[in-house]
Amino acid sequence: QVQLVESGGGSVQAGGSLKLSCAGPGYIFSSCGMAWYRQAPGKVRELVSSISSDGSTSYADSVKGRFTISQDNAKNTLYLQMNSLKSEDTAVYHCAACPTTLNWFFFGYEGQGTQVTVSS
């Protein structure tokens, strides 16, 4: 069972920052697009940011200018730097790899998630 393991979540006040990390097998990082998505209680999952195998990145409009996705293939780690956090960013954040749908809604591999709570 392939595992993606997230870390770095926590509680922070509005305006603060957190950096999420996701570790996994090297063959995934070298061959697949990767992403962060989030899911708040009672809501559908939302793709937050993605990075393709060619290095191109994309962001949801709601996080543009505040979040930065990056990966370090030497460390087999995906990151999400989150700045200027807002209460509406509160959710469980999941790392995912190898999208199976064109809209990057489903993935071949997904982590269990890490809770991010932003208080106003």
Side-chain angles (χ1 to χ4, degrees):
Q1 184 77 14
V2 173
Q3 284 190 321
L4 295 174
V5 181
E6 303 95 338
S7 61
S11 296
V12 64
Q13 289 197 327
S17 298
L18 285 173
K19 186 173 185 177
L20 306 183
S21 299
C22 169
Y27 66 86
I28 289 180
F29 284 83
S30 62
S31 63
C32 282
M34 303 196 69
W36 291 95
Y37 72 86
R38 64 189 180 187
Q39 189 160 20
K43 294 190 176 181
V44 177
R45 63 169 60 178
E46 176 191 16
L47 180 64
V48 174
S49 182
S50 64
I51 182 166
S52 298
S53 54
D54 64 1
S56 57
T57 60
S58 67
Y59 298 90
D61 287 344
S62 58
V63 307
K64 277 181 183 175
R66 301 189 297 121
F67 290 12
T68 303
I69 191 171
S70 62
Q71 68 180 75
D72 185 337
N73 288 349
K75 296 183 178 180
N76 298 334
T77 303
L78 179 73
Y79 302 100
L80 185 69
Q81 176 68 49
M82 305 186 295
N83 299 328
S84 302
L85 283 161
K86 305 175 181 179
S87 57
E88 51 263 44
D89 294 320
T90 295
V92 177
Y93 284 71
H94 297 262
C95 169
C98 305
T100 58
T101 55
L102 289 176
N103 63 355
W104 291 57
F105 193 79
F106 292 110
F107 299 84
Y109 308 100
E110 300 182 6
Q112 292 297 308
T114 185
Q115 177 71 46
V116 171
T117 302
V118 184
S119 57
S120 56

